[in-house]
Amino acid sequence: MYRWIEGRQARVERTADLTAFAIALAGFLAALQRIDATPGPAAGEHSAWRGGALRTYDAGWGIRPVI
């Protein structure tokens, strides 16, 4: 994202229905995941591998597959 979306910070005391909030947030995040990033720049060293496979970071965190 290149700019902030206008609004206020989400806070528990401002949220009347936490379940509805969670569902709306999940919908927003799912919509972000559906955006086609194909025409964008490829993940690489220039972007700290943003957009690449999460396994790129596994070695740095000492994470091993549990399969």
Side-chain angles (χ1 to χ4, degrees):
M1 297 177 88
Y2 287 36
R3 58 186 167 82
W4 289 104
I5 297 172
E6 292 297 322
R8 299 184 307 171
Q9 291 178 339
R11 295 178 185 244
V12 172
E13 60 271 10
R14 288 191 210 151
T15 307
D17 184 344
L18 290 176
T19 301
F21 174 79
I23 291 168
L25 178 59
F28 174 74
L29 295 175
L32 286 179
Q33 288 181 322
R34 286 191 298 270
I35 295 172
D36 181 13
T38 304
E45 204 169 317
H46 67 284
S47 66
W49 299 99
R50 264 177 277 162
L54 292 178
R55 74 178 68 87
T56 302
Y57 302 101
D58 289 352
W61 293 98
I63 298 170
R64 291 183 295 215
V66 201
I67 299 174

